[in-house]
Amino acid sequence: MLAAVCATGRRLTREELEGLRSRGERAAEAGLGLRALVRAHLSAARTTHPALPRAAHDHLLAAVEQAVDAFAEGHERAQLLAVRQEEAARREFIDDLLYGRSDLGRLAERAERFGLLLSHAHAVAVAEGPEPYADGYPVSRGIESSLVARFGDRRILLTTKDGRLICIAPADEPDVLTHFAKQAYAATDGGRVAIGRPHPGAGGVVHSYEEALNALDLAARMSLDDPVLHAADLLVYPVLTRDRQAMADLVVSVLGPLRNARGGAQPLIDTLTTYFDTGCVAAEAARRLTLSVRAMTYRLERIHRLTGADPGDPVQRYTLQTAVVGARLLGWPEQEL
């Protein structure tokens, strides 16, 4: 090809360029690196160069430029297609893994390709921020780089799902998820991370993932301030809402009379929430609510009169506190029960 070009001064034909692109694609599919292939092209040009008259040198360089460009285009096209196919396979695997789909044996085989051994126990951490996470975003890349730099290849899988960043790690590597949580929180303004409990097998990954999602949902409903949530620390809340109807009955029965207060039930529920959060210290609760201690005491007395339950009595306090937690979990009084 070079000899013909140098003899006539013509440019490479469309057929020749397409042939070079096809060769570039086949080379990429065969796993040959582009650097070595470009060297081979230049070596062929160097072999041709001494036999050429000086006037043909420019023709030679122009032809080599065209040839290398077409070959590289085909090589890059095949590489991009391979990357897209790999991303599609990875995304399909993540969906099947986190939703518990696909045959478990087949899922375990695919998992090894992505660095997971589903015969072991795993835990899942889920991070959400003010803006959705996506593959390739600077925040996602930065967190991934930090994990790789610190832990190397420890069978960690980092991915995104529904705008959240997800880290799956072996159960015997708890420091991985702790580091992930710190990095995810530091990388976002107002982000939050939830860590599910370790569970064995492919179903264990799903279970841990759902626990982490439930913890994030619970934190939103309960206005929890902790940036890092552990599902193991929040097990009491699912227990309380396991019998939703019984909890709804408790909320309406105990707190329903607060609707008759001036301003409705919500201000008094907020008062009880703050009072319980401060360990039932009226002065601290008043400070947080920007009230005087006298006003705080009046509100507690008002709650006692309306509900018949004394926040200062240990037994009645427990009933009130459980009802307040139930109200926050069920969205009462905004939502009718």
Side-chain angles (χ1 to χ4, degrees):
M1 191 186 299
L2 290 178
V5 167
C6 292
T8 62
R10 69 173 175 82
R11 296 177 63 81
L12 298 185
T13 66
R14 181 178 301 175
E15 291 75 14
E16 289 170 335
L17 291 173
E18 190 54 43
L20 286 163
R21 292 188 187 98
S22 297
R23 291 187 181 92
E25 289 181 2
R26 292 199 298 273
E29 291 166 358
L32 300 175
L34 185 58
R35 183 186 303 176
L37 295 167
V38 170
R39 267 202 311 270
H41 281 72
L42 297 179
S43 177
R46 192 179 301 111
T47 301
T48 306
H49 182 272
L52 295 176
R54 183 175 296 275
H57 289 177
D58 287 344
H59 300 322
L60 174 66
L61 292 175
V64 170
E65 181 181 2
Q66 279 188 285
V68 170
D69 183 67
F71 191 91
E73 180 185 347
H75 194 279
E76 291 170 359
R77 191 163 59 193
Q79 292 278 42
L80 181 60
L81 178 61
V83 168
R84 287 176 176 169
Q85 289 173 338
E86 179 72 9
E87 289 177 348
R90 188 173 188 271
R91 178 55 58 192
E92 182 181 3
F93 166 72
I94 293 297
D95 289 344
D96 289 347
L97 178 65
L98 296 181
Y99 289 128
R101 299 194 295 251
S102 183
D103 173 74
L104 291 182
R106 174 67 181 135
L107 194 63
E109 291 177 7
R110 294 160 63 198
E112 291 190 31
R113 174 182 173 187
F114 299 103
L116 296 181
L117 290 177
L118 294 185
S119 57
H120 298 174
H122 290 81
V124 181
V126 179
E128 63 180 10
E131 300 295 332
Y133 290 97
D135 293 329
Y137 276 30
V139 170
S140 303
R141 290 200 307 268
I143 295 172
E144 184 173 18
S145 298
S146 177
L147 283 171
V148 171
R150 177 159 180 177
F151 300 104
D153 182 14
R154 295 203 189 177
R155 297 193 174 276
I156 304 166
L157 181 60
L158 195 70
T159 187
T160 59
K161 183 69 179 170
D162 299 329
R164 301 182 181 95
L165 190 61
I166 299 165
C167 183
I168 304 172
D172 58 357
E173 297 273 5
D175 51 334
V176 171
L177 295 185
T178 299
H179 184 74
F180 167 79
K182 290 180 179 178
Q183 293 298 313
Y185 176 69
T188 58
D189 182 15
R192 176 177 283 155
V193 184
I195 302 175
R197 292 179 297 162
H199 298 282
V205 174
V206 179
H207 194 177
S208 185
Y209 173 62
E210 290 177 344
E211 285 183 343
L213 289 181
N214 290 336
L216 289 174
D217 177 64
L218 183 64
R221 284 187 287 159
M222 297 294 293
S223 301
L224 301 179
D225 296 328
D226 296 342
V228 180
L229 306 162
H230 293 267
D233 298 334
L234 304 174
L235 291 176
V236 65
Y237 295 107
V239 170
L240 289 175
T241 55
R242 189 159 293 164
D243 189 338
R244 181 184 175 89
Q245 188 55 54
M247 177 57 74
D249 290 343
L250 176 68
V251 170
V252 173
S253 174
V254 175
L255 301 180
L258 296 182
R259 285 175 163 170
N260 298 322
R262 182 184 302 173
Q266 192 61 58
L268 295 180
I269 291 176
D270 293 340
T271 298
L272 285 172
T273 299
T274 306
Y275 181 65
F276 295 136
D277 287 347
T278 57
C280 301
V281 179
E284 176 60 19
R287 187 187 66 80
R288 293 190 187 183
L289 292 170
T290 63
L291 296 172
S292 66
V293 175
R294 182 175 180 179
M296 182 69 191
T297 303
Y298 172 78
R299 284 194 180 187
L300 293 175
E301 291 173 351
R302 181 69 170 154
I303 291 168
H304 186 187
R305 287 198 302 271
L306 288 170
T307 64
D310 183 4
D313 180 86
V315 175
Q316 296 178 18
R317 180 193 306 154
Y318 176 77
T319 301
L320 273 173
Q321 188 167 8
T322 304
V324 167
V325 170
R328 296 170 72 184
L329 288 171
L330 300 178
W332 188 86
E334 290 86 357
Q335 300 180 21
E336 290 293 333
L337 301 180

